[in-house]
Amino acid sequence: MPWPLLLLLAVSGAQTTRPCFPGCQCEVETFGLFDSFSLTRVDCSGLGPHIMPVPIPLDTAHLDLSSNRLEMVNESVLAGPGYTTLAGLDLSHNLLTSISPTAFS
């Protein structure tokens, strides 16, 4: 196998699934040589407002909470160690009427 192709295979992302909060789906994308870096996408869409807060993996980069009929977002909704690494949060198609000023702190 030519070296450039081998290097591309070692650095490009590979996706797998992992155990997750019941009803949610967790997809892990690994990068780097020997999968040394990973990011997780957690999809908890359409489960309903009773799921909050959702415990998520520590390496979660994107969380989908769309279509859950959420009415408010406060600091307890986004609580837990996995929320510190979020780069993307989907709250679309909810019933949001208020977001606490400290929800994202």
Side-chain angles (χ1 to χ4, degrees):
M1 185 177 290
W3 276 103
L5 182 57
L6 181 62
L7 184 60
L8 179 64
L9 291 174
V11 176
S12 66
Q15 289 188 342
T16 58
T17 58
R18 76 192 290 179
C20 207
F21 185 75
C24 299
Q25 293 182 354
C26 291
E27 285 186 6
V28 180
E29 191 165 2
T30 54
F31 304 91
L33 197 57
F34 307 112
D35 298 335
S36 57
F37 180 71
S38 66
L39 296 173
T40 301
R41 274 184 95 75
V42 180
D43 183 350
C44 295
S45 60
L47 299 178
H50 65 281
I51 65 164
M52 301 311 297
V54 176
I56 56 177
L58 292 175
D59 62 347
T60 301
H62 182 81
L63 176 61
D64 185 348
L65 294 175
S66 64
S67 304
N68 279 309
R69 299 183 310 276
L70 298 175
E71 294 181 7
M72 63 180 296
V73 175
N74 58 31
E75 53 279 341
S76 68
V77 169
L78 304 175
Y83 288 88
T84 59
T85 58
L86 279 182
L89 175 64
D90 186 347
L91 292 169
S92 64
H93 305 288
N94 279 294
L95 306 172
L96 294 175
T97 57
S98 71
I99 297 177
S100 168
T102 58
F104 300 106
S105 55

